[in-house]
Amino acid sequence: MLPPDEYARLRDLVLVRRDPAAIADYVRGIRMRMNPHPAGQMTHNVPRVNDAPLRGLQHKYDQTVLFFPSAGQTCHAYCTFCFRWPQFVGMDDLKFDARESHELAAYLKLHPEVTDVLITGGDPLIMNTRSLAAYIEPLLVPELAHIQNIRIGTKSVAYWPQRFVSDRDADDLLRLFERVVGAGKNMAIMGHYNHAVELRPDIAQQAVKRIVGTGATLRMQGPLIRHINEDPKSWAELWQTGVRLGAIPYYMFVERDTGPHAYFQLPLARAHEIFQAAYQMVSGLSRTVRGPSMSAFPGKVVIDGVATINGEKSSPCSFCRPVIRTGCASRFTPNSIPTRPGSTT
Ligand code: SF4
């Protein structure tokens, strides 16, 4: 997945020179070139209390705070297209995580505009139920009645459905979900699925039924990735199976410009075609899905059409459409979108 020159140099260092220090130095250079933490994640949206930054929290949208518990910063999968790869590569200066759970509750008490907490990683469901409960239960107190939705981002639904079915504390996890629902909040599992095959095994289907059986909701989301899920039929099967089991199709994302993204990326016009083809194969119940959606510096934008400008296909999104109208055919990357008009997803 590396460019040929980088691959050749690294191969030489590993197989011929066998110099660990030189290898480590070169690998670090490659990683830094790969745009770790796209869209200003390390430097922007970092909440502060008494002017001190809170490590492991992000507050990008008024309503939603992201929380990165330190114990959840590994994953069931190590996807080579992961946009959170700096969390996993042992470079502490690139990583954000929260060691103190009380800082989250303290921050939320000061922010009544926040309705949603997204516990993310990595994969928070790497944690055992007892550790996860220590982060979630403080959010159920009356002083945090404004928190309506507690979300958990996870790949376990696809890569370790045993987490909900047969793990030693699987039932405890379901009881935790029930306590959240019983407290009057929405327990929202944000399930990362990349392909229909992930939902074909019986245990993966059982996991969906057990999650929704607690009163929690399960939304399905994932990036469009070249070599992996370019076939619209795969998306349609995934959404249809999910809906049959009680899940909600949510997002098809555009792969972010980080990591070895040249290997995975598709033209935005092609992404739009794939989304539209899949969307047309499913009934209205699956059409809760949105996409192709790009996470960008100012927020999320949706690719909402294909325009031909000077004979070249361009994909106006809700941000760049005003620019396209004036004749600009630049290929914007998610970090180079120029302005923020009103229309966003
Ligand atoms: S499942 Fe998600 S967090 Fe885990 S490696 Fe893959 S993209 Fe990254």
Side-chain angles (χ1 to χ4, degrees):
M1 296 172 190
L2 295 174
D5 56 329
E6 278 184 357
Y7 177 78
R9 169 89 176 124
L10 190 56
R11 189 176 187 281
D12 179 63
L13 287 173
V14 171
L15 296 182
V16 181
R17 287 183 53 191
R18 301 184 185 196
D19 176 347
I23 294 169
D25 192 47
Y26 192 63
V27 166
R28 183 175 174 88
I30 291 174
R31 286 175 174 157
M32 297 312 290
R33 181 190 54 71
M34 285 185 167
N35 189 22
H37 297 308
Q41 291 185 82
M42 283 294 267
T43 49
H44 292 69
N45 316 310
V46 177
R48 306 178 84 86
V49 168
N50 297 330
D51 216 28
L54 293 181
R55 188 180 159 95
L57 268 74
Q58 281 182 19
H59 194 176
K60 181 169 182 174
Y61 305 104
D62 283 350
Q63 302 84 358
T64 306
V65 164
L66 273 62
F67 181 60
F68 298 79
S70 58
Q73 300 315 308
T74 54
C75 193
H76 293 94
Y78 288 111
C79 308
T80 36
F81 51 83
C82 180
F83 82 96
R84 296 250 189 250
W85 61 267
Q87 297 294 88
F88 311 136
V89 293
M91 296 165 75
D92 282 348
D93 52 331
L94 290 183
K95 182 173 173 179
F96 37 75
D97 59 358
R99 297 196 173 87
E100 306 292 340
S101 60
H102 68 267
E103 284 185 342
L104 171 65
Y107 180 76
L108 294 174
K109 282 176 188 165
L110 296 172
H111 288 271
E113 77 278 14
V114 177
T115 57
D116 290 38
V117 173
L118 169 59
I119 303 172
T120 188
D123 191 332
L125 290 183
I126 281 285
M127 285 187 274
N128 62 33
T129 303
R130 194 160 48 88
S131 302
L132 187 65
Y135 289 114
I136 290 182
E137 281 176 342
L139 305 179
L140 307 184
V141 298
E143 300 93 300
L144 291 178
H146 55 287
I147 304 302
Q148 299 174 29
N149 305 298
I150 298 175
R151 312 189 206 178
I152 300 175
T154 185
K155 183 73 185 172
S156 57
V157 284
Y159 263 50
W160 194 250
Q162 292 87 340
R163 186 72 191 87
F164 309 94
V165 179
S166 55
D167 271 7
R168 203 169 39 182
D169 63 349
D171 288 347
D172 296 340
L173 181 64
L174 300 183
R175 300 295 86 75
L176 174 63
F177 293 174
E178 286 171 354
R179 287 202 291 285
V180 174
V181 175
K185 300 186 193 295
N186 175 25
M187 179 77 248
I189 305 302
M190 316 304 291
H192 175 186
Y193 293 96
N194 294 119
H195 196 280
V197 295
E198 293 173 325
L199 203 42
R200 286 181 198 154
D202 186 51
I203 194 164
Q205 300 200 4
Q206 280 184 54
V208 176
K209 287 186 187 162
R210 296 196 97 208
I211 291 167
V212 298
T214 67
T217 51
L218 169 59
R219 285 179 169 75
M220 315 170 80
Q221 57 185 14
L224 175 62
I225 326 155
R226 189 162 64 103
H227 308 297
I228 296 179
N229 57 14
E230 295 162 80
D231 184 354
K233 289 205 264 329
S234 163
W235 287 93
E237 180 190 329
L238 176 65
W239 299 333
Q240 285 170 321
T241 308
V243 165
R244 176 171 60 77
L245 298 166
I248 305 164
Y250 189 45
Y251 270 125
M252 177 196 283
F253 289 117
V254 171
E255 180 63 5
R256 287 199 181 188
D257 57 342
T258 180
H261 60 100
Y263 184 80
F264 295 114
Q265 71 191 7
L266 284 157
L268 296 180
R270 178 75 189 124
H272 183 260
E273 279 170 13
I274 292 168
F275 179 84
Q276 288 299 318
Y279 195 82
Q280 284 164 19
M281 290 177 201
V282 296
S283 75
L285 292 181
S286 292
R287 293 187 178 189
T288 48
V289 69
R290 291 183 285 178
S293 178
M294 312 197 307
S295 283
F297 187 78
K300 284 200 185 66
V301 294
V302 68
I303 310 301
D304 59 5
V306 176
T308 301
I309 296 170
N310 297 332
E312 186 177 5
K313 278 187 178 177
S314 300
S315 298
C317 64
S318 45
F319 276 91
C320 66
R321 187 178 280 282
V323 183
I324 292 275
R325 264 196 225 113
T326 66
C328 173
S330 299
R331 286 199 180 84
F332 296 118
T333 66
N335 285 333
S336 68
I337 292 168
T339 56
R340 182 173 193 171
S343 148
T344 64
T345 57

